[in-house]
Amino acid sequence: MGIFEKTQTRMVNLEATYLLHVLKLVQWKEKDLPATDHSLKCLIVGEDRTNFLERFSFLLAESNATVSARKITVHSVGEMKDAVALAHRDKSIILIVALESTADQWEKSMYPKRSGLLFYGQSEKFLGRGMAMCSKISHNRVRICVNARKATFKGLRLSPELLRRDGI
């Protein structure tokens, strides 16, 4: 494994860890969630060249992370239009992670008009394009950029810690 691959792996591990932490700093309204005996879903959308799904799934399992006392399962979807269609129909989907490979598929108008859905873009290519959160890598650091207005509009409550730093 070359230096580039090692750095990329380290960044993906860090970003997956940050995203798990973000889930702990966001609150969903009960009305936007399925019954407590149902698990919640996270969709990873796009070509996963860096094994983000595998890393994020591992962290969720190891940490026993929950949202409002509900387990989270992670699923892969190839195309943005398919993920958006699923999110329209299934309110157990609370998080959609748009991998960098889907940046050219995303438009602001695609955001489903339903409360309780968090869209996260895995690249600065999503900055200013209507997502509630996205990552930005700068100087070998991952930063989570937060669009608090969009998150609030979608019925999500962001913790003061997340807002205070405008990211992690």
Side-chain angles (χ1 to χ4, degrees), residues 1-167:
M1 185 181 285
I3 231 167
F4 175 75
E5 289 82 10
K6 286 180 183 177
T7 301
Q8 192 175 28
T9 298
R10 186 172 48 241
M11 289 297 150
V12 169
N13 288 339
L14 189 57
E15 185 171 12
T17 303
Y18 281 180
L19 186 56
L20 178 63
H21 186 61
V22 163
L23 287 178
K24 297 173 185 176
L25 300 175
V26 175
Q27 290 181 334
W28 279 260
K29 295 177 183 173
E30 275 302 311
K31 71 177 183 65
D32 293 331
L33 300 172
T36 53
D37 59 338
H38 287 81
S39 62
L40 302 173
K41 296 176 187 169
C42 166
L43 302 181
I44 309 294
V45 186
E47 185 180 350
D48 191 1
R49 300 177 192 121
T50 58
N51 297 319
F52 185 85
L53 182 142
E54 182 182 310
R55 289 169 167 77
F56 190 59
S57 296
F58 174 79
L59 289 172
L60 282 170
E62 287 298 307
S63 68
N64 291 315
T66 61
V67 167
S68 298
R70 294 165 179 88
K71 290 190 180 245
I72 306 162
T73 60
V74 183
H75 308 271
S76 177
V77 178
E79 299 287 324
M80 184 62 73
K81 63 179 174 48
D82 297 330
V84 170
L86 284 169
H88 274 294
R89 292 190 312 268
D90 186 353
K91 92 176 208 178
S92 68
I93 298 170
I94 61 157
L95 173 63
I96 295 180
V97 177
L99 299 177
E100 184 173 14
S101 63
T102 64
D104 63 335
Q105 300 174 26
W106 175 254
E107 295 177 27
K108 284 182 187 183
S109 62
M110 295 176 80
Y111 213 123
K113 304 212 180 338
R114 69 160 253 236
S115 187
L117 179 63
L118 174 60
F119 255 95
Y120 173 89
Q122 188 203 34
S123 167
E124 58 201 58
K125 293 177 182 177
F126 293 101
L127 268 174
R129 295 184 58 202
M131 290 205 172
M133 295 182 189
C134 69
S135 63
K136 181 178 179 180
I137 296 176
S138 178
H139 306 319
N140 279 333
R141 294 180 188 256
V142 176
R143 177 186 155 119
I144 306 295
C145 301
V146 178
N147 180 340
R149 199 170 85 207
K150 183 61 144 188
T152 302
F153 180 72
K154 289 298 174 182
L156 304 171
R157 186 165 166 247
L158 306 178
S159 78
E161 179 185 350
L162 187 57
L163 292 174
R164 184 172 44 252
R165 295 154 130 193
D166 189 30

